[in-house]
Amino acid sequence: MTDAGLPTSEHLEHLDTDTIADLIENLLPAPEAHRAREHVKACPDCQQTYDALLQLTEDLADEGRTDIPMPADVAEHLNAVIASESVLRASTVGVHSLVQLREEPHRHLPKLLLAAAAVVVVAGAGVVGVVLATADHSTDGAAGIGSPTSVPSITTEQVGPDAQRWLEGAKGPILHGEAAEIDCARQFATTQPDSELQLVQPATVDGKRSTVIGLPGGSAGDVKVFVVTGCSGSGGPATPFYDTTVTLRNR
Amino acid sequence: MTSDITRIGPPPSPGAGPVPPQGYEAMDDHELLRLHVAGNPDTFGYLVKRHRDRMWAVAIRTLGEPEEAADALQEAFISAFRRADSFRGDAKVTTWLHRIVVNACLDRIRRRQVRAADPLPEDEDRAAELAGPAEDDPAEVRERRLDVLNALKQINVDQRSALVLVDMEGYSIEEAAAILGCAPGTVKSRCARGRAKLLPLLRHWQTTRGGSADDVPAKARQTAPTAAATSSGTGGTE
């Protein structure tokens, strides 16, 4: 601020609003701030502007304290998008933790890309109910929601809960793996009382490359789950080393 | 579980924890986010539901266009969903969300500026509709809200985003500077100049408080910038 351009009460030339706003925010260098402050004290119009700016700050704060309700259609669409993201994440191979996903991106990227395509469709349609089409290597095209399409690493303790989760999320049998592995599972099934395959899932169980095979159990909704070795690579014969029975809640 | 949170996909993994007896709605933001990172498929939806109106307000005030705000918010929440494990637990979840939402808004504005030949749709009726459901608020509240939205649209976007964070959302200058990625002095300057521009646009607020429109002196609104106004000593004046 120069003396020549200095608006003062003596000059009866008002400060512009920017200068007064800067004064309030302590943005003016000290000498200019002093002169501007003196002017405001002496000039009723500039004092009014000064007060109005302070009041505006309070009014904006009042307004800011009230949320603006998100329109229902926007909220509905957002719910669908977030639901799709949950599906995408849950569909990754045996992974339910973002930390795991971040640490092992190479393992999950192909599945993520496939799932992302499904999410785009879902989000575009704005629907809430979602059916995710996962990659399926089986010969007959059966697929299960949430069931892994590659080889998850699990323990024998997890076999029952995981098989139950996979099957409950599927509309029909889950037959994953190479054709030779599925054929091996079919051969194994013929040795059991009911040979209708419910589940074939390649897995590493307790460190061993295995195949999880599900067959109808003794009661409605029951699935007898076997873990066998020998079906991957060589194509048999299957050698079971663990079995359990799960009861599906939605069958 | 409430009606507008849709449960999709397999049940949570064991690490995601059981549903508490009092329900997810009783959990604080940190716990909901922690469960989401652990694999719970539901808790992020509750977090979105809890904060979506606040984030909508930030987006609509910053972008000024409902369609743009909806797109920005979608991008922001997807980003938050995927980056939740990078959240530092010592901050407030709302501050973290604000940062993501504001950045998504600013990204859209930058992209819009790059495509300068691609004008935004102007639809006053749609804007009024999206300022909030009519049945939710009294007419004067909606009118005032629209006044602010329209006035904010008329000022520089940098000033607008600073004002939204500092004056309307209550962040400190330093917090706003961190969110916006600029110096505190720049935020102060943007706020000051933004208020100066908003004042004549919202002067009828003063009228409704018992004064008159002339309470803001015409000379103060019209005078040419003085030397003081063009030589701010703090830097970053915009």
Side-chain angles (χ1 to χ4, degrees):
Chain A
M1 186 181 292
T2 64
D3 285 340
L6 177 67
T8 66
S9 54
E10 292 82 19
H11 297 145
L12 295 176
E13 185 178 337
H14 296 290
L15 298 177
D16 65 80
T17 313
D18 279 349
T19 302
I20 298 174
D22 284 355
L23 174 67
I24 290 171
E25 204 57 60
N26 291 320
L27 289 168
L28 298 177
E32 294 168 28
H34 175 73
R35 283 190 288 257
R37 199 171 292 112
E38 291 302 309
H39 174 93
V40 168
K41 281 183 194 168
C43 175
D45 279 358
C46 288
Q47 180 69 55
Q48 271 189 352
T49 303
Y50 186 97
D51 293 342
L53 281 166
L54 290 179
Q55 186 62 51
L56 174 67
T57 305
E58 289 182 25
D59 289 343
L60 288 174
D62 282 347
E63 180 63 21
R65 277 189 276 275
T66 63
D67 290 341
I68 300 178
M70 178 179 279
D73 59 338
V74 177
E76 186 180 344
H77 183 75
L78 187 59
N79 280 346
V81 168
I82 296 303
S84 302
E85 279 293 308
S86 283
V87 171
L88 186 152
R89 184 170 65 151
S91 70
T92 56
V93 184
V95 169
H96 293 276
S97 157
L98 286 177
V99 176
Q100 277 182 275
L101 192 60
R102 191 170 290 256
E103 288 172 354
E104 304 175 85
H106 58 283
R107 186 177 159 202
H108 310 299
L109 185 58
K111 189 66 187 308
L112 275 173
L113 292 174
L114 285 164
V119 167
V120 167
V121 171
V122 167
V127 295
V128 177
V130 177
V131 175
L132 179 67
T134 58
D136 185 7
H137 304 296
S138 69
T139 51
D140 59 4
I145 296 175
S147 59
T149 53
S150 62
V151 185
S153 289
I154 56 177
T155 63
T156 48
E157 286 81 8
Q158 291 172 287
V159 166
D162 278 0
Q164 181 173 8
R165 178 166 56 83
W166 299 333
L167 288 163
E168 285 179 346
K171 290 186 189 314
I174 300 170
L175 304 179
H176 286 163
E178 299 294 336
E181 190 163 2
I182 294 170
D183 284 341
C184 173
R186 285 203 172 97
Q187 285 295 321
F188 172 76
T190 60
T191 67
Q192 300 300 313
D194 191 332
S195 61
E196 186 183 353
L197 283 175
Q198 300 297 303
L199 171 68
V200 178
Q201 176 61 57
T204 300
V205 179
D206 288 344
K208 287 180 283 196
R209 177 60 172 87
S210 313
T211 307
V212 181
I213 300 171
L215 297 167
S219 306
D222 281 359
V223 175
K224 183 86 170 173
V225 181
F226 298 88
V227 183
V228 305
T229 56
C231 279
S232 66
S234 62
T239 306
F241 69 91
Y242 177 79
D243 66 78
T244 184
T245 298
V246 298
T247 302
L248 305 184
R249 291 165 291 194
N250 57 353
R251 299 284 172 87
Chain B
M1 188 179 297
T2 58
S3 59
D4 63 346
I5 301 290
T6 304
R7 171 76 168 78
I8 295 179
S13 65
V19 179
Q22 68 274 35
Y24 290 127
E25 286 179 345
M27 287 185 169
D28 67 24
D29 291 347
H30 281 87
E31 187 61 7
L32 287 176
L33 202 58
R34 188 192 69 73
L35 289 176
H36 165 67
V37 172
N40 189 300
D42 297 325
T43 53
F44 195 82
Y46 281 90
L47 207 55
V48 170
K49 184 189 171 201
R50 184 176 292 172
H51 297 296
R52 67 188 178 200
D53 287 350
R54 175 119 300 248
M55 297 303 146
W56 173 251
V58 171
I60 192 81
R61 286 166 181 152
T62 303
L63 284 164
E65 294 292 339
E67 307 294 352
E68 288 275 301
D71 288 348
L73 219 49
Q74 178 177 314
E75 286 175 10
F77 276 121
I78 289 175
S79 175
F81 184 104
R82 295 176 182 171
R83 291 163 44 194
D85 58 335
S86 68
F87 170 71
R88 298 204 328 269
D90 53 347
K92 287 173 71 175
V93 172
T94 47
T95 303
W96 175 72
L97 282 175
H98 265 102
R99 184 192 299 266
I100 293 172
V101 168
V102 169
N103 282 330
C105 292
L106 296 179
D107 282 347
R108 293 194 77 78
I109 289 166
R110 291 185 197 109
R111 291 203 295 268
R112 188 197 303 169
Q113 287 168 340
V114 169
R115 319 183 305 261
D118 184 11
L120 281 172
E122 286 286 346
D123 186 340
E124 293 294 330
D125 291 340
R126 180 70 171 151
E129 176 198 335
L130 292 183
E135 64 274 17
D136 284 5
D137 295 304
E140 61 268 24
V141 171
R142 285 174 51 77
E143 188 178 339
R144 191 177 168 93
R145 180 179 298 152
L146 283 174
D147 277 349
V148 175
L149 292 177
N150 287 328
L152 284 170
K153 279 168 69 174
Q154 296 180 54
I155 69 173
N156 173 299
V157 67
D158 290 328
Q159 296 167 348
R160 190 193 309 155
S161 51
L163 276 180
V164 167
L165 286 176
V166 175
D167 282 7
M168 305 193 77
E169 295 296 318
Y171 283 97
S172 70
I173 294 288
E174 288 72 22
E175 288 169 330
I179 290 173
L180 294 170
C182 60
T186 304
V187 174
K188 290 179 78 169
S189 175
R190 289 174 179 175
C191 285
R193 297 306 169 86
R195 288 181 205 120
K197 287 194 173 65
L198 277 185
L199 186 60
L201 299 171
L202 295 171
R203 62 181 179 274
H204 54 285
W205 282 13
Q206 314 282 325
T207 309
T208 59
R209 201 169 282 104
S212 74
D214 294 333
D215 282 351
V216 179
K219 284 180 185 173
R221 297 197 301 273
Q222 300 298 332
T223 46
T226 64
T230 55
S231 62
S232 170
T234 310
T237 301
E238 293 177 30

